[in-house]
Amino acid sequence: GAGVSQSPSNKVTEKGKDVELRCDPISGHTALYWYRQSLGQGLEFLIYFQGNSAPDKSGLPSDRFSAERTGGSVSTLTIQRTQQEDSAVYLCASSLAPLLAGAQETQYFGPGTRLLVL
Amino acid sequence: KQEVTQIPAALSVPEGENLVLNCSFTDSAIYNLQWFRQDPGKGLTSLLLIQSSQREQTSGRLNASLDKSSGRSTLYIAASQPGDSATYLCAVKLFGANSKLTFGKGITLSVRP
């Protein structure tokens, strides 16, 4: 079946502009996660959705970052007034059942959106 | 705060060699540990997931072990091939951590033909 998809695959923007990144999780996956991978920094957690609610937003780096999920499916990560330090690869992942043991907890990742802020 | 460390950052081996990739974590109260592979410019592919109650998991030429008490996991790759060249990341999830994963920075493996 189809995996996690993200769009756009690449985004170049000017400092100060707003950007929207989209994630389509695997059908039927209730949990959705956003991570950021910066050069030399490794992967850092941003936000987690269970259905349409976000019980954990602890990783969002500033109030310029927000995310929403509608219909328990597609999610959008919005970065307002982008800064150069926002340049990174933004990865989305989904899982079937985050609170059950076993393979159902496996997180499946999309290919990412490469954001470059000039 | 959970910290995950992977050393060395890079590794180069000749084809056919058996190798071990190491991962250490500071908080032993983990719910599970997951190993991923990342190819250049691509997303992550899950390789193995080990629950806290398990000691190891195997898939083909890969074997991952978990020792919670010492805060360590190893990924064993048998008979390495050039196609195994990639970055390998381990990630842990704590109990009650709302499912977020804490990642190491990864080990970039190069298997020479």
Side-chain angles (χ1 to χ4, degrees):
Chain A
V4 178
S5 61
Q6 294 185 245
S7 61
S9 54
N10 292 282
K11 177 71 176 180
V12 181
T13 190
E14 295 179 349
K15 178 181 173 181
K17 300 281 189 180
D18 297 352
V19 295
E20 284 190 353
L21 312 180
R22 176 187 168 107
C23 172
D24 277 279
I26 293 172
S27 178
H29 281 195
T30 60
L32 185 148
Y33 320 78
W34 284 98
Y35 296 88
R36 179 169 71 173
Q37 188 172 33
S38 305
L39 192 62
Q41 289 289 339
L43 266 151
E44 57 177 333
F45 167 82
L46 297 178
I47 187 170
Y48 155 62
F49 286 94
Q50 177 58 37
N52 290 337
S53 65
D56 191 349
K57 305 179 183 179
S58 62
L60 294 178
S62 76
D63 59 8
R64 295 187 296 105
F65 287 72
S66 63
E68 64 176 13
R69 189 180 186 194
T70 56
S73 181
V74 172
S75 176
T76 302
L77 177 69
T78 302
I79 309 173
Q80 296 177 310
R81 305 181 302 282
T82 52
Q83 304 293 314
Q84 288 180 334
E85 61 262 28
D86 299 334
S87 297
V89 178
Y90 289 82
L91 291 162
C92 174
S94 69
S95 70
L96 181 60
L99 298 179
L100 295 177
Q104 293 168 315
E105 286 212 74
T106 300
Q107 294 189 17
Y108 296 89
F109 281 75
T113 293
R114 286 151 191 78
L115 175 66
L116 177 61
V117 182
L118 300 176
Chain B
K1 177 186 174 185
Q2 177 72 275
E3 293 184 2
V4 180
T5 303
Q6 294 184 257
I7 296 174
L11 187 62
S12 180
V13 300
E15 181 176 5
E17 189 163 302
N18 300 324
L19 58 103
V20 172
L21 306 181
N22 294 304
C23 172
S24 61
F25 46 93
T26 54
D27 188 337
S28 62
I30 66 168
Y31 187 68
N32 63 39
L33 182 145
Q34 201 165 351
W35 280 94
F36 294 89
R37 167 184 174 141
Q38 186 173 33
D39 293 282
K42 302 289 180 64
L44 278 66
T45 301
S46 178
L47 298 173
L48 291 163
L49 183 149
I50 310 177
Q51 296 295 334
S52 62
S53 58
Q54 298 174 324
R55 297 283 295 184
E56 65 178 341
Q57 283 284 339
T58 298
S59 176
R61 294 182 294 109
L62 306 179
N63 175 278
S65 67
L66 174 64
D67 184 343
K68 279 198 311 177
S69 60
S70 66
R72 292 181 183 176
S73 176
T74 62
L75 179 66
Y76 174 82
I77 303 176
S80 58
Q81 303 170 358
D84 295 330
S85 299
T87 296
Y88 291 81
L89 299 104
C90 72
V92 300
K93 187 173 105 171
L94 296 177
F95 281 94
N98 277 329
S99 288
K100 74 177 182 185
L101 295 176
T102 302
F103 283 84
K105 292 189 177 181
I107 297 173
T108 299
L109 173 67
S110 174
V111 181
R112 306 186 301 272

